[in-house]
Amino acid sequence: MTTSLLKRRAALFALSALTLAAYVPAAQAQDAAKWPTRTVRLVTPYPTGGAPDTIARVVAEKLSRK
């Protein structure tokens, strides 16, 4: 009975993964055409000079190139 349950879970996981994989490219294609339509503002709720601020600045720089 345990083997049957594991096979069922594996099959359900595989089916879920395939379903998700089918929707991801379609969602990305739709978003790429619409986004961004205006300036993107990146807000970090931490003080200047900390690690989150530094990471946010690096991410913002890479986003501005795209």
Side-chain angles (χ1 to χ4, degrees):
M1 188 152 148
T2 305
T3 306
S4 171
L5 181 61
L6 290 176
K7 286 181 182 179
R8 195 177 313 160
R9 281 187 181 175
L12 182 60
F13 178 75
L15 182 61
S16 299
L18 287 173
T19 303
L20 180 63
Y23 285 108
V24 169
Q28 288 177 346
Q30 289 175 352
D31 289 341
K34 292 189 236 177
W35 190 82
T37 57
R38 58 187 182 152
T39 305
V40 176
R41 181 178 291 184
L42 185 63
V43 178
T44 53
Y46 296 101
T48 306
D53 178 55
T54 305
I55 293 169
R57 289 175 189 265
V58 171
V59 169
E61 181 183 341
K62 291 187 181 198
L63 283 175
S64 68
R65 291 182 195 162
K66 289 186 176 193

